Amino acid sequence: MAMPRFVIPSLVCLASSMVALVNAGSVMAADRVIVKYGVLRESVAVADLATFAETGQVSGDVESYLRMTNSNPEQIRTILTRQMALNPIVLDRSLNNPLGNLILDEAGQVIRPPANVANREALRSTLVLSASDDGKVSLLEALQKYPTREVVLEGDRLAQAYERMNQAQEQIQRAQGTVETVLELLKRF
């Protein structure tokens, strides 16, 4: 008796899912950030960035980066730790459409895998995974959860992206306030 055509592909999918579940405990995350600033490059351990962001303690690699970019340490700590409140379900849905792809492509100009391949997928999974813990995402958390061993951070583009993020967040808050006002007015009727 011949097996139905769907059985073999179904078994392959089941086996793949089981392998993924077994390996889920060993999810890959970034160990190092390659910070590019113009033609300059500096490799920094994610753990060193986390220590710097949380305590202000500067390792040799972080100090080299700060010197290389002539950056204000407090400003860099703020950029690393600033959190945006994002509902993981809404975020996932928002990033899985053409507009979401544009946003991911834009963000992929700042943070990306070293091979510069599958930027969208890497960022989408990073952001949704980061938001799923506590409904918040920061650059540091995204770096810690990035799905490749190394992640490239375009330092010269980061400041511009940070400013755009601030503007977008302000616009969202204003829009949210307007919606709340309209809802209050509608309740009166």
Side-chain angles (χ1 to χ4, degrees), residues 9-81:
S10 297
L11 289 174
V12 170
C13 286
L14 178 62
S16 299
S17 298
M18 291 175 63
V19 169
L21 285 173
V22 168
N23 290 328
S26 61
V27 173
M28 187 182 302
D31 294 328
R32 300 205 61 82
V33 177
I34 300 166
V35 182
K36 291 177 66 181
Y37 201 84
V39 296
L40 305 173
R41 296 171 60 104
E42 184 69 39
S43 178
V44 180
V46 173
D48 288 349
L49 277 177
T51 300
F52 168 65
E54 294 163 3
T55 68
Q57 182 180 350
V58 179
S59 71
D61 289 344
V62 172
E63 185 176 348
S64 293
Y65 164 75
L66 293 171
R67 212 176 25 251
M68 173 179 78
T69 61
N70 197 26
S71 296
N72 176 337
E74 288 308 310
Q75 183 181 20
I76 299 299
R77 287 179 69 196
T78 299
I79 290 171
L80 286 169
T81 58

Side-chain angles (χ1 to χ4, degrees), residues 53-54 75-87 91 127 129-145 162 165-170 172-173:
E54 294 163 3
Q75 183 181 20
I76 299 299
R77 287 179 69 196
T78 299
I79 290 171
L80 286 169
T81 58
R82 174 138 190 238
Q83 295 183 330
M84 288 186 69
L86 298 168
N87 179 306
L91 179 63
L127 294 171
L129 181 62
S130 296
S132 68
D133 290 343
D134 58 1
K136 297 176 185 169
V137 177
S138 70
L139 177 59
L140 178 61
E141 186 176 18
L143 292 172
Q144 291 170 323
K145 296 191 180 199
Y162 183 74
M165 182 184 76
N166 284 338
Q167 291 170 353
Q169 188 171 20
E170 289 170 7
I172 290 168
Q173 288 172 342

Side-chain angles (χ1 to χ4, degrees), residues 143-189:
L143 292 172
Q144 291 170 323
K145 296 191 180 199
Y146 206 81
T148 59
R149 290 285 175 213
E150 292 183 327
V151 58
V152 176
L153 187 62
E154 301 286 348
D156 48 349
R157 294 182 182 165
L158 180 60
Q160 297 165 354
Y162 183 74
E163 185 58 37
R164 282 194 308 267
M165 182 184 76
N166 284 338
Q167 291 170 353
Q169 188 171 20
E170 289 170 7
Q171 290 172 350
I172 290 168
Q173 288 172 342
R174 281 196 304 270
Q176 187 176 13
T178 301
V179 168
E180 289 171 0
T181 302
V182 168
L183 289 175
E184 285 298 316
L185 289 172
L186 290 174
K187 287 180 185 177
R188 293 180 188 168
F189 290 108

